[in-house]
Amino acid sequence: MAEETIFSKIIRKEIPADVLYQDELVTAFRDINPRAPVHILVVPNKLIPTTNDVETDDELALGRMITVAKKLAADEGIAEDGYRLIMNCNQHGGQEVYHIHMHLVGGRALGPMVVG
Ligand code: AMP
């Protein structure tokens, strides 16, 4: 059984967060340490520790994460200029919170994708 993270508490509204969207599959809230003018996390309500743990049954929630990111990008006024969607996995990917999440980052030119 995977260990819960702070994100499960945010999803259950047990601790405060700037929640922008929630439905039966996903929750989206502003990152507490924004790296750009817009920095939102979109997470599945179900605890999936890493992208290595994703299963076929999760495909609906994973697809919803993208349609919600698209809606939030439009709401935030960054859809036309563009933005980046990022998912980090494990140590080499720089993952800090072991409940998968998609970073929606934008509001300025982000430069080349960082891989090094
Ligand atoms: P990652 O490195 O991909 O695991 O990203 C984890 C992200 O979660 C970081 O950008 C953190 O700033 C963010 N974060 C951690 N705790 C919170 C919290 N309580 N509310 C909102 N964002 C958080």
Side-chain angles (χ1 to χ4, degrees):
M1 190 70 179
E3 205 168 312
E4 282 197 352
T5 74
I6 198 160
F7 288 179
S8 290
K9 293 188 170 66
I10 290 173
I11 291 161
R12 293 196 299 261
K13 308 272 176 67
E14 290 170 6
I15 62 165
D18 191 353
V19 176
L20 301 172
Y21 179 91
Q22 186 167 53
D23 64 22
E24 78 284 10
L25 290 176
V26 307
T27 300
F29 49 92
R30 290 194 197 280
D31 196 292
I32 204 167
N33 178 26
R35 262 52 66 80
V38 174
H39 189 168
I40 295 167
L41 302 175
V42 186
V43 311
N45 296 339
K46 174 188 167 188
L47 169 53
I48 304 168
T50 80
T51 50
N52 290 334
D53 303 302
V54 163
E55 295 172 354
T56 311
D57 282 354
D58 301 321
E59 286 174 358
L60 192 58
L62 294 167
R64 184 74 58 84
M65 286 165 70
I66 295 190
T67 52
V68 167
K70 174 199 124 172
K71 172 194 157 24
L72 292 172
D75 291 349
E76 296 287 313
I78 61 171
E80 289 305 314
D81 284 342
Y83 52 87
R84 193 167 285 160
L85 300 176
I86 304 164
M87 293 182 79
N88 297 321
C89 181
N90 276 340
Q91 195 182 357
H92 281 191
Q95 185 173 4
E96 292 171 3
V97 178
Y98 282 79
H99 181 138
I100 62 166
H101 47 280
M102 179 178 287
H103 296 255
L104 163 60
V105 187
R108 63 171 170 81
L110 296 167
M113 190 168 70
V114 175
V115 293

